[in-house]
Amino acid sequence: MSSSPVSDKPSESTPDFNNIHVVLVQTSHPGNIGAAARALKNMGIPNLRLVEPRTPFPSDEATWRAASATDVLERAQVFGSMEEAVADCGLVIGASARSRRMPWPVLTPRQCANHVVQDAGNNRVALVFGREDTGLTNEELQLCHYHVQIPANTEYSSLNLAAAVMVICYEVRVAMLEALAPEGSEAARREQRFAGDSVYNPDNESEFWDVPKADAHQLELFYQHLEKTLTDLTFHKPDNPRLLMQRMRRLFTRIRPDTMEINILRGILAYVDEHVKIANNKD
Amino acid sequence: MSSSPVSDKPSESTPDFNNIHVVLVQTSHPGNIGAAARALKNMGIPNLRLVEPRTPFPSDEATWRAASATDVLERAQVFGSMEEAVADCGLVIGASARSRRMPWPVLTPRQCANHVVQDAGNNRVALVFGREDTGLTNEELQLCHYHVQIPANTEYSSLNLAAAVMVICYEVRVAMLEALAPEGSEAARREQRFAGDSVYNPDNESEFWDVPKADAHQLELFYQHLEKTLTDLTFHKPDNPRLLMQRMRRLFTRIRPDTMEINILRGILAYVDEHVKIANNKD
């Protein structure tokens, strides 16, 4: 297997999606080829390689299931053996559903993705999937540096081929995006818009949420108003508070209302106050 | 629609696969239903719920694509609306491909899985997917506590429905197995359970929330009561609703009130109703 570096700057190892190849060996169902092409394009992986597809390729079924990923099918390279298909790849990881006769280093999909990221700057990387019924042969598995196993229900561990391709490619995408987004960059902020991590991330909130959060002072005014209104309603009995206000504070504080929401809530309290005043004055 | 807590031990919150439900809304292609059933079984998730499948169900195509997961299809429940399908669920997460008119808290698949693990002890959890062409409607998305977005190629971000189901279920499986694994310290497991979620601060909260979350049906009753009370107060003018109820729903939904908090809020509304009645009768 050739391991000539793709880049002429061996010390430059920014991982590149263009170096990642998914290899499907002797696929039976053309629908799986099409669905796999769609999964690749969804996850930003441009290269598909087919080894001896067992039904004629290309086909209408593959094209239909590829949906808007027909370009991936059109660019797909076809080889006569797995050995030829991975010859120019510096890292080869093969999907394996169960342990075989000879133990081999096995990775989870997440660990597989980390390896891909480490090598996809300087090397072509191959992610290899076998036949729907029998997977990869022992000889083919021994052409791999690592095997990858998708954690699955022991009662039914056989994934559809295109579904397995999607899981591996999804983990690769997540790992690649993390590696490619420097801290605080536009790309990182854009990715955080979809990450929503810490649900309300102050760094990306103004881009995403439509109104600024209420500050602590506005919140405090709201709680004081709420407590007074609840007391006037006789719902809140100050001599027997029963943790009511604590629970109310915990309820509203933990989700950080924005200023419009606080204004609405205070407006509601004002309307309630008015009705309470009328009701009480007429008793 | 039952709203009784799933467990009679609120302090016991070992997450349970049996509490996890995948909901498919108005699926067009029966092959996608079958493939989704297979993905569920592969990932150890037993429950499939279908809302108004757009082609007749069951069907040969669904059965064929389910492969050895036909038992999941046979147990699948069919509902007339998403609201009915999630009524007994304390956590509802909906798949959303793009941002909508009103921003909503968004999770990555990994964060989604962490939330599922946190809640799948005491609550039924619903993971909801929409139509192949148009996803979920705005109204359906507002029945969700969170939305989940799968990071995808901006040039082609539309995943096949069953492929999207597989990605979400895979992340759920990984998170569940980590949480259920006997090795590792109790503290480490607790930390993982809360990982990536700053809404629940483990420093000021018991490890297990003390009361089960209100399910979707209880929440819906609360919103209807709130809308009526706000209308009677003349605060909510039905001819010019100005997104008020949407904002209220978004505020309270993301708070994830527990059953005690919902009872308190409804009690407050009842007191308000009483005063409004008195005030109005005396005008």
Side-chain angles (χ1 to χ4, degrees):
Chain A
M1 284 178 288
S2 156
S3 58
S4 58
V6 171
S7 160
D8 57 4
K9 301 182 215 168
S11 60
E12 182 75 34
S13 69
T14 304
D16 186 351
F17 276 100
N18 291 319
N19 282 339
I20 305 173
H21 297 74
V22 165
V23 181
L24 305 183
V25 178
Q26 290 199 333
T27 311
S28 291
H29 299 289
N32 285 333
I33 294 180
R38 182 176 182 176
L40 261 65
K41 189 163 184 181
N42 286 146
M43 295 296 119
I45 290 166
N47 307 307
L48 179 63
R49 293 180 172 181
L50 305 175
V51 175
E52 292 188 315
R54 282 192 279 191
T55 51
F57 174 80
S59 73
D60 289 346
E61 177 70 14
T63 301
W64 179 60
R65 291 275 298 279
S68 297
T70 49
D71 58 320
V72 174
L73 288 182
E74 283 153 20
R75 286 197 315 271
Q77 297 173 284
V78 183
F79 296 83
S81 69
M82 178 185 159
E83 193 168 347
E84 295 165 47
V86 304
D88 61 350
C89 297
L91 173 65
V92 181
I93 302 180
S96 173
R98 60 197 181 280
S99 48
R100 298 297 181 104
R101 187 181 16 167
M102 174 171 295
W104 213 258
V106 173
L107 306 173
T108 64
R110 202 156 298 175
Q111 292 165 335
C112 164
N114 288 334
H115 280 264
V116 171
V117 163
Q118 287 166 32
D119 283 28
N122 278 342
N123 303 275
R124 290 187 184 88
V125 173
L127 301 165
V128 190
F129 299 82
R131 304 149 190 79
E132 288 95 330
D133 45 0
T134 57
L136 296 169
T137 64
N138 284 324
E139 291 68 34
E140 289 162 345
L141 284 171
Q142 288 176 26
L143 296 175
C144 304
H145 298 94
Y146 299 95
H147 299 163
V148 59
Q149 280 184 9
I150 298 174
N153 182 0
T154 46
E155 289 180 33
Y156 189 26
S157 61
S158 168
L159 274 66
N160 165 265
L161 173 61
V165 170
M166 175 56 96
V167 168
I168 299 300
C169 290
Y170 156 77
E171 284 282 23
V172 165
R173 180 172 187 77
V174 169
M176 288 288 284
L177 292 179
E178 267 185 51
L180 292 171
E183 290 291 326
S185 70
E186 171 60 37
R189 289 211 328 276
R190 187 183 321 126
E191 198 50 38
Q192 279 190 339
R193 187 178 307 158
F194 298 103
D197 69 303
S198 84
V199 181
Y200 304 112
N201 182 335
D203 291 339
N204 69 358
E205 206 167 273
S206 56
E207 288 182 61
F208 185 62
W209 203 253
D210 50 353
V211 176
K213 294 299 174 193
D215 60 31
H217 179 62
Q218 290 173 302
L219 268 176
E220 195 51 40
L221 291 176
F222 166 68
Y223 291 135
Q224 290 170 12
H225 193 169
L226 178 65
E227 184 165 0
K228 182 174 188 315
T229 301
L230 291 179
T231 306
D232 290 345
L233 274 175
T234 72
F235 188 85
H236 176 42
K237 305 174 195 338
D239 56 315
N240 185 18
R242 282 181 305 134
L243 298 181
L244 172 64
M245 280 313 298
Q246 278 187 40
R247 282 197 179 273
M248 288 291 99
R249 281 174 178 264
R250 185 174 72 170
L251 176 70
F252 287 103
T253 295
R254 72 178 188 265
I255 212 63
R256 305 198 51 221
D258 64 41
T259 54
M260 189 180 305
E261 289 164 337
I262 280 287
N263 288 340
I264 291 172
L265 290 170
R266 295 206 62 186
I268 293 172
L269 291 178
Y271 266 73
V272 172
D273 292 341
E274 197 53 39
H275 281 75
V276 169
K277 202 168 22 157
I278 293 172
N280 288 344
N281 285 344
K282 304 213 174 180
D283 284 332
Chain B
M1 288 174 283
S2 158
S3 59
S4 56
V6 173
S7 163
D8 58 2
K9 304 181 215 167
S11 62
E12 182 74 36
S13 72
T14 303
D16 186 350
F17 276 100
N18 290 320
N19 283 340
I20 305 173
H21 298 75
V22 166
V23 181
L24 305 183
V25 178
Q26 289 199 333
T27 310
S28 290
H29 299 291
N32 285 332
I33 294 181
R38 183 175 182 176
L40 261 65
K41 189 163 185 181
N42 286 147
M43 295 296 121
I45 289 166
N47 306 307
L48 180 64
R49 292 181 173 181
L50 305 175
V51 175
E52 292 188 315
R54 282 192 280 193
T55 51
F57 174 81
S59 73
D60 289 347
E61 177 70 14
T63 301
W64 179 60
R65 292 275 297 278
S68 296
T70 48
D71 57 319
V72 174
L73 288 182
E74 282 152 22
R75 284 198 314 270
Q77 298 172 285
V78 183
F79 296 83
S81 69
M82 177 185 159
E83 191 170 345
E84 295 166 46
V86 303
D88 62 348
C89 298
L91 174 63
V92 180
I93 302 180
S96 175
R98 61 195 181 282
S99 47
R100 300 293 180 108
R101 185 180 18 159
M102 175 172 292
W104 211 262
V106 172
L107 306 174
T108 63
R110 201 155 300 174
Q111 292 165 337
C112 165
N114 287 334
H115 280 263
V116 170
V117 162
Q118 287 167 31
D119 282 27
N122 275 344
N123 301 275
R124 289 183 185 90
V125 174
L127 302 165
V128 189
F129 299 83
R131 304 148 189 82
E132 288 94 331
D133 45 0
T134 57
L136 296 170
T137 64
N138 282 323
E139 289 69 32
E140 289 163 346
L141 285 171
Q142 287 176 24
L143 294 174
C144 303
H145 298 95
Y146 300 96
H147 298 163
V148 59
Q149 282 185 6
I150 299 174
N153 182 0
T154 47
E155 289 180 34
Y156 189 26
S157 61
S158 168
L159 273 66
N160 165 264
L161 172 62
V165 170
M166 175 57 96
V167 168
I168 298 302
C169 290
Y170 156 76
E171 283 282 23
V172 166
R173 180 172 187 78
V174 170
M176 289 286 285
L177 292 179
E178 269 185 49
L180 294 170
E183 69 266 22
S185 69
E186 174 67 20
R189 290 212 329 273
R190 186 184 318 135
E191 190 52 38
Q192 282 185 342
R193 200 171 300 151
F194 290 99
D197 180 3
S198 72
V199 175
Y200 301 109
N201 184 338
D203 289 335
N204 66 3
E205 181 176 300
S206 60
E207 175 181 351
F208 305 107
W209 200 255
D210 51 352
V211 176
K213 296 296 176 194
D215 64 31
H217 179 59
Q218 292 174 301
L219 268 177
E220 195 53 37
L221 290 177
F222 166 67
Y223 292 135
Q224 290 172 9
H225 192 170
L226 178 64
E227 184 165 0
K228 183 175 188 315
T229 300
L230 292 179
T231 306
D232 290 343
L233 275 174
T234 72
F235 188 84
H236 177 41
K237 306 175 198 329
D239 55 316
N240 184 18
R242 283 180 301 133
L243 299 181
L244 171 64
M245 281 313 297
Q246 277 186 42
R247 283 193 180 276
M248 288 292 98
R249 280 173 179 266
R250 186 176 67 173
L251 174 69
F252 285 103
T253 294
R254 70 181 196 270
I255 288 176
R256 313 259 347 270
D258 62 40
T259 53
M260 189 180 305
E261 289 164 338
I262 279 285
N263 287 340
I264 292 173
L265 290 170
R266 295 206 64 185
I268 294 173
L269 289 178
Y271 266 74
V272 172
D273 291 341
E274 197 53 40
H275 281 74
V276 169
K277 203 172 13 160
I278 293 172
N280 287 343
N281 283 345
K282 302 210 174 181
D283 283 335

